[in-house]
Amino acid sequence: MNPTGDGNTVEAVAEDLATDALVLDTLANNLGIVAFIAVCFYIAAAICAVREIMNSRTAQGSIAWLLSMFFLPFVTVPLYLVLGWRSFADYAKVQELLGRTARSQTAETLKLSDQEGTRHWPVLSKVAGVPFLAGNTVDLLIDGDATFSSILEGIRNAKHTILVQFFIIKDDRIGRDFADALIERAQAGLTIFVLYDEIGSNALPRSYLDRLRDAGIKVSGFNETHKYLRFLGPMRLNYRNHRKVVVTDFEHAWVGGLNVGDEYLGRSKTFGHWRDTHVKVSGPAAVACALSVTEDWQWANNTKISLDRITEFDKPGDESVLVMPTGPADDLEECAIAFAEAAARARKRLWITSPYFVPSIDVVTSLYAASMRGVDVRILLPEKADHTTVWLASHAHADEMVARGVKIFRYTEGFLHQKVSLVDDDLASVGTVNFDNRSFRINFEITLWFTHQRTIEKIAAMLEKDFAGARQTGPDDLANRSYAFRVLAQGARLLSPIL
């Protein structure tokens, strides 16, 4: 034995004992402070527990919070403030001030509603709070080049107002092209608003925002006056604005899955081809999209977007569109209700594409029921992962789906990011909603629903091509992977409520 080593070991043990003794002595001399901190945590835990009981949406989630608060208040209380405390009464107040509850009647009075579509899909209309709007044109935009070419052209042709809202904006090539286009129109005298999410755009440098502001563009983070992290009131770190909307002159709107970044145009070496879908609508539906942005803007920084320019409603086309903004300020889990209803109405086919698949039990049940009815239920997911935890959880969910007759496909020709659904030959959607709990219950999202055969046929043809570029997974897809992968997948699945 090495005596020097033994000496070092003895000295280390002696130092540890001395440190422990110092800690115990400090605690003993400050028992009052320790007791006060403990009491404060338990009082906070009691307040959080009462609030969770009174505002519970799912028994399982609430019971988990309550047990954790009882046994581990020091850990659970901070987590609950960040992840569990939902408080958006102030957002609901903005919706009330901007007349959301009166919009359905306004659409009827102005003869903008598609009464047949609204009667056929009453649940979707009630969730959206407005009827299907008639008189629109719809352009399906496949992938980034088509999408940004259309958006940039629309910005350059705008005459008086541009509204921009994205979850992610990056200071890269397309980000700078996007900024240049906005700045050029601002210098031409247009009124421009840019709203971004601070979490999604966390890497966006201040210099980018300052350049927009210096040109006279009004710029705001979604939590400009409602900070994500604060000492008093709820922390909203867990709640993000995931919407991607551009509106020009209250006449044209672009909505879909693409953010502003080079990877969305397939310029990333990691992901390669980026498969995504956006849609351009012109007509009354564009006004509905603008109203969604104005609600977000007013909540974000307590200022208003003037709607005086909306003096008439053109009907440039013959298509019906339902604009459905959803989010944590909703009274019910309205986004989940909408997609569960669409699945319940399917009789021939139900095709869903999403980069993330972490559904709640009610949505899972609706998919199983559709499959049992003999519906061709297909779900297209990415082969590649961009968020590992969600990707792992989706494998666990998908494996169960396959065992119950749902067809799961993995897109192999790049990274799949589109959020599209198709129900029979009757209904289709394009929007920002991922098939997970975060989109259904936590994030602010927007979905456009279509009933015209022209758009449905285009979306069906697009999805048929996507499925052709995918591999169908078998019932043993997860089982054939390593045991470590299966453990990680099942472990990630336990985090489903917050993914």
Side-chain angles (χ1 to χ4, degrees):
M1 297 180 63
N2 188 323
T4 303
D6 289 344
N8 290 339
T9 302
V10 171
E11 288 178 4
V13 171
E15 288 178 1
D16 289 342
L17 291 173
T19 301
D20 293 341
L22 180 61
V23 170
L24 292 173
D25 184 61
T26 301
L27 291 174
N29 291 330
N30 295 277
L31 286 178
I33 296 175
V34 173
F36 176 76
I37 293 174
V39 169
C40 287
F41 264 95
Y42 274 100
I43 291 174
I47 293 172
C48 291
V50 170
R51 191 184 188 285
E52 180 61 27
I53 291 170
M54 298 304 295
N55 294 277
S56 172
R57 293 200 175 189
T58 62
Q60 301 94 322
S62 294
I63 289 171
W65 278 119
L66 295 175
L67 289 174
S68 297
M69 282 183 229
F70 181 80
F71 290 107
L72 295 169
F74 304 103
V75 175
T76 306
V77 167
L79 287 175
Y80 185 80
L81 291 175
V82 174
L83 300 176
W85 190 300
R86 184 198 306 250
S87 178
F88 286 95
D90 47 2
Y91 189 94
K93 183 65 174 177
V94 168
Q95 293 176 325
E96 181 181 343
L97 291 172
L98 292 177
R100 176 176 277 212
T101 56
R103 288 175 191 168
S104 182
Q105 184 57 47
T106 301
E108 293 291 341
T109 302
L110 296 174
K111 297 181 180 181
L112 300 174
S113 63
D114 171 20
Q115 295 182 352
E116 181 180 352
T118 301
R119 280 196 303 269
H120 193 66
W121 298 98
V123 173
L124 299 187
S125 182
K126 288 180 180 178
V127 167
V130 292
F132 278 80
L133 299 174
N136 301 279
T137 63
V138 178
D139 295 321
L140 188 65
L141 303 171
I142 300 175
D143 290 341
D145 287 334
T147 297
F148 282 104
S149 293
S150 179
I151 291 175
L152 291 175
E153 181 183 6
I155 290 173
R156 296 186 188 105
N157 292 331
K159 299 177 180 64
H160 53 77
T161 307
I162 300 173
L163 310 180
V164 173
Q165 177 179 30
F166 280 100
F167 178 60
I168 297 173
I169 300 176
K170 293 191 174 182
D171 185 17
D172 53 18
R173 187 164 35 145
I174 186 60
R176 289 186 284 274
D177 289 344
F178 191 72
D180 290 343
L182 293 175
I183 290 169
E184 189 277 327
R185 300 316 290 149
Q187 292 172 343
L190 276 70
T191 302
I192 303 176
F193 299 84
V194 174
L195 183 63
Y196 65 95
D197 184 89
E198 293 94 333
I199 298 296
S201 302
N202 65 87
L204 188 63
R206 182 175 294 276
S207 59
Y208 185 100
L209 301 174
D210 289 342
R211 184 167 171 248
L212 296 177
R213 291 190 178 104
D214 291 344
I217 297 172
K218 298 174 177 62
V219 181
S220 176
F222 184 59
N223 278 265
E224 191 87 0
T225 58
H226 305 271
K227 297 303 181 184
Y228 281 116
L229 296 172
R230 54 184 177 175
F231 293 106
L232 298 175
M235 300 181 186
R236 293 191 171 104
L237 183 67
N238 195 36
Y239 301 94
R240 298 152 200 176
N241 198 310
H242 194 242
R243 295 168 181 160
K244 299 101 175 169
V245 185
V246 176
V247 181
T248 60
D249 299 334
F250 304 110
E251 296 175 358
H252 313 283
W254 291 260
V255 175
L258 290 107
N259 290 292
V260 181
D262 281 346
E263 67 264 38
Y264 297 92
L265 287 97
R267 297 171 181 170
S268 167
K269 293 181 179 179
T270 301
F271 296 107
H273 172 60
W274 188 279
R275 178 67 192 90
D276 220 327
T277 300
H278 236 67
V279 67
K280 175 189 176 184
V281 294
S282 301
V287 177
C289 292
L291 292 173
S292 173
V293 178
T294 60
E295 288 177 352
D296 287 348
W297 180 270
Q298 184 161 331
W299 184 83
N301 58 21
N302 292 325
T303 62
K304 295 182 179 180
I305 294 177
S306 173
L307 303 177
D308 293 342
R309 290 278 190 173
I310 305 177
T311 56
E312 60 182 30
F313 294 85
D314 293 332
K315 292 184 178 180
D318 60 352
E319 299 213 26
S320 178
V321 180
L322 180 68
V323 178
M324 182 187 290
T326 53
D330 298 341
D331 291 334
L332 300 173
E333 308 287 3
E334 296 183 356
C335 186
I337 289 172
F339 280 91
E341 165 70 3
R345 297 281 298 274
R347 291 297 177 267
K348 294 188 300 182
R349 65 179 172 187
L350 174 61
W351 294 357
I352 297 166
T353 70
S354 174
Y356 316 119
F357 185 70
V358 191
S360 57
I361 187 63
D362 50 346
V363 176
V364 167
T365 301
S366 67
L367 295 177
Y368 288 163
S371 179
M372 291 176 181
R373 289 195 305 273
V375 176
D376 177 19
V377 182
R378 301 185 191 181
I379 300 172
L380 182 61
L381 306 173
E383 182 76 65
K384 295 181 178 181
D386 69 332
H387 295 291
T388 304
T389 303
V390 182
W391 181 75
L392 286 168
S394 75
H395 274 276
H397 283 282
D399 196 53
E400 285 196 357
M401 288 279 155
V402 173
R404 288 164 174 79
V406 176
K407 300 171 186 174
I408 301 293
F409 293 80
R410 295 279 174 180
Y411 188 75
T412 59
E413 297 184 355
F415 181 72
L416 179 84
H417 190 256
Q418 65 176 330
K419 303 95 166 48
V420 178
S421 68
L422 178 65
V423 180
D424 298 337
D425 298 317
D426 303 324
L427 183 72
S429 72
V430 176
T432 67
V433 174
N434 298 314
F435 232 74
D436 58 18
N437 280 287
R438 174 162 291 282
S439 279
F440 286 162
R441 292 176 166 82
I442 299 174
N443 286 346
F444 291 85
E445 306 280 2
I446 186 168
T447 305
L448 303 190
W449 297 87
F450 309 95
T451 57
H452 197 286
Q453 285 300 302
R454 184 183 302 114
T455 295
I456 288 174
E457 289 173 2
K458 289 179 181 178
I459 289 175
M462 176 186 74
L463 294 182
E464 286 172 355
K465 184 177 179 180
D466 290 336
F467 281 114
R471 68 172 182 87
Q472 185 173 355
T473 65
D476 300 324
D477 189 63
L478 183 61
N480 290 333
R481 293 180 178 268
S482 69
Y483 185 75
F485 183 94
R486 283 179 281 158
V487 169
L488 289 173
Q490 294 295 345
R493 184 184 178 186
L494 298 178
L495 300 174
S496 293
I498 62 173
L499 292 178

